[in-house]
Amino acid sequence: MMRLPHSFSNIRGRETLARSQVLQRSWPFVLDLCIAAIGLACFYGVVRIAMFWAGRPEPGIVVSLSPRALPRYAFYSVVRIGLAYLLSLFFAISYGYIAAYNRRAEKVMIAILDILQSIPVLSFLPPVMLAMIALFPTRQLGVEMGAIVLIFTGSVWNMAFSFYSSLKSIPRELMEATSIYCFSRVQRLLQLELPYAAIGLIWNSIMSVAGAWFFLMVCEMFHLGSRDFRLPGLGSYLQTAADAGNGVAIAWGLAVMILIIVATDQLVWRPLIAWSDKFKFEQVESSSRVTSPILHLLTQSNALHSIRQHTIMPLTEGLYTRLADRRLAKLHRLTVVKPASGIRTLAVRVLALIIVAVAVLYAAFQAVVLLRPLPGAQYLHILQGALATFLRVNFSLLLASAWTIPVGVAIGSNPRLARIAQPLAQIAASVPAAALFPVLLLALVRIGGGMGIGSIALMLLGTQWYILFNVIAGAMAIPSDLKEVATLFRFNTVQRWKTVILPGIFPFLITGLVTASGGAWNASIIAEYFPIKGQILQTTGLGAIISEATGGGQFPVLLLATIVMALIVVTTNRLVWRPLYRLAETRYKLGA
């Protein structure tokens, strides 16, 4: 073989090195251009959506089943879900923070949260839509805000439960460290509480967005009495296609939805999961980490690095300094006792309590007036429906737990498996079950089943993912040093599950079960009352009663069914979920 001269090989080596240096310098510039293009596209999208929302409301919108309309419909739906998610994130952090640190309000707030997450979306429909339209009577914005708030009511509660549970399980030594270093509440939130809760919050965010896709058909195409509140979007497209029995249109709509879900996973969730992996509470770094090419590229962006270095960091440091000085000044003022200030604070609290009590009594009186015309047979019918739905909800929880716990632990413990299984789970959780329910129902009828079995199957399609995603988050949050100790002592499978896995995922599992229970009650509105091809398929249950009352504008029946559901949920919360939460906060809390 002929060898190249030594000088020539040196020249080739220098050329290769220079080419790689040029690529290293040019690639961040190309990435900056991509980020700028994304920013311009977002700005254009904001302008277009503002023009549409500022226009006059369009009564009786006709949803086109042409595939050409899908990009525009998908854009509208993505904007609604994105705004509903941002609203959910703000609410979850605020509500969970107050509930975790205010012992007086904690029991009431968690009970209210459990009630709200169990109330079906259709129960919120009349007050939400009428209120939004009253605020913006001459603009499309009113109906749009109504749809966004309805999506919010179907996806926010599991995020609030997750953040609350994470705050209650923060190790004591970390909280003591923030007190020693005089962290302000804002600094503690940004540097301890949000990072510690990041893993659970991100996975519950994935579930919330999947739940938003699940209820999108209800939120974009609904009726209140004789009024039609239909919006152009991917959900209304799928519902129209299902009503028409157009299998080709359903396939096109599901294909676009799956494409959006996969793109969201790769561009948003996967980078966030890889970023949050550094917040695991462990003393030994894991050898296997979650990776994301998008996150790796973003860390090489010169524009983002410059913004962080010259804008974000100086602002946060200045904010922390001012808050620390204000905290020290407040502690100095508290050394002087001011009885007048204490009396003033007590008077404000008493006044606020009186206002709340008057509002509650007035609402209770109006509810009694509204329920008075109902006959006794209606009460008995609602109680029978409540018992049937209660049994379906608990049976679906047992079936869901049987497979989601082992599968979730396997996915959360294996980053390679998570890269494959996570997008598939998101797609399965996000596809509206109502779009698949006609096929499922026909199959059950052929094998001898009916709406009784079909309603349980549909509840499973909508609620099992709450348990799965929380178990995945819990398995990912188990410290690597605990796993290494289990390996060092040669634990068998039973010992590993009993000593490491189940205690490690227990707080996340309880959150998943609570939110899955609420999701099952919520899904009953679709599972027990399903319109298809001009006829109504229904079975005995509260969901069917609520759906029928909403469609017929029977507000007394709707109110009574919602009250009965709330009473069942409160009782379950007091007897089951609160003791389990207390156990998670004490016995299964990480810490020295």
Side-chain angles (χ1 to χ4, degrees), residues 186-199:
V186 175
Q187 189 173 5
R188 187 180 66 187
L189 175 67
L190 296 179
Q191 295 191 342
L192 172 61
E193 292 159 346
L194 282 177
Y196 188 84
I199 295 178

Side-chain angles (χ1 to χ4, degrees), residues 3-250:
R3 293 186 177 182
L4 296 174
H6 182 68
S7 58
F8 184 77
S9 63
N10 288 340
I11 294 174
R12 291 291 302 271
R14 286 195 296 269
E15 289 180 351
T16 303
L17 179 61
R19 191 180 297 109
S20 63
Q21 291 176 349
V22 169
L23 289 175
Q24 290 177 358
R25 288 194 300 267
S26 61
W27 174 246
F29 175 74
V30 174
L31 185 61
D32 292 342
L33 290 179
C34 293
I35 293 175
I38 293 173
L40 290 175
C42 292
F43 178 75
Y44 174 74
V46 170
V47 172
R48 287 299 303 268
I49 205 72
M51 292 172 60
F52 176 64
W53 287 3
R56 301 188 67 83
E58 302 178 21
I61 292 178
V62 178
V63 178
S64 172
L65 293 183
S66 171
R68 296 180 179 179
L70 277 173
R72 179 165 55 91
Y73 289 169
F75 171 70
Y76 290 151
S77 296
V78 167
V79 170
R80 293 180 191 118
I81 291 177
L83 292 177
Y85 169 73
L86 293 178
L87 182 61
S88 301
L89 182 63
F90 176 78
F91 177 88
I93 293 175
S94 304
Y95 197 95
Y97 187 91
I98 297 173
Y101 291 116
N102 192 327
R103 293 189 177 275
R104 294 181 178 179
E106 179 181 6
K107 295 181 179 180
V108 177
M109 292 182 68
I110 295 303
I112 292 175
L113 188 64
D114 204 6
I115 294 171
L116 291 176
Q117 65 121 8
S118 304
I119 295 176
V121 171
L122 288 182
S123 295
F124 291 103
L125 191 153
V128 167
M129 291 307 304
L130 294 178
M132 292 298 104
I133 293 175
L135 287 176
F136 308 98
T138 61
R139 293 289 181 267
Q140 179 70 17
L141 180 61
V143 184
E144 294 286 346
M145 290 300 297
I148 291 171
V149 174
L150 286 176
I151 296 172
F152 161 83
T153 60
S155 59
V156 63
W157 318 117
N158 60 304
M159 294 172 60
F161 270 116
S162 174
F163 190 66
Y164 163 80
S165 179
S166 297
L167 293 184
K168 299 296 287 186
S169 61
I170 293 179
R172 183 176 57 190
E173 57 267 26
L174 294 183
M175 297 297 292
E176 292 176 351
T178 60
S179 300
I180 292 173
Y181 287 102
C182 297
F183 277 22
S184 64
R185 291 184 179 181
V186 175
Q187 189 173 5
R188 187 180 66 187
L189 175 67
L190 296 179
Q191 295 191 342
L192 172 61
E193 292 159 346
L194 282 177
Y196 188 84
I199 295 178
L201 194 58
I202 289 172
W203 279 97
N204 275 278
S205 296
I206 296 174
M207 185 60 239
S208 291
V209 174
W213 284 109
F214 181 85
F215 285 107
L216 190 66
M217 294 170 67
V218 178
C219 297
E220 287 187 348
M221 192 170 179
F222 45 80
H223 302 272
L224 182 58
S226 59
R227 304 183 66 179
D228 184 1
F229 297 100
R230 185 178 308 181
L231 291 172
L234 199 52
S236 58
Y237 180 92
L238 286 171
Q239 183 65 65
T240 304
D243 292 341
N246 191 332
V248 176
I250 293 177

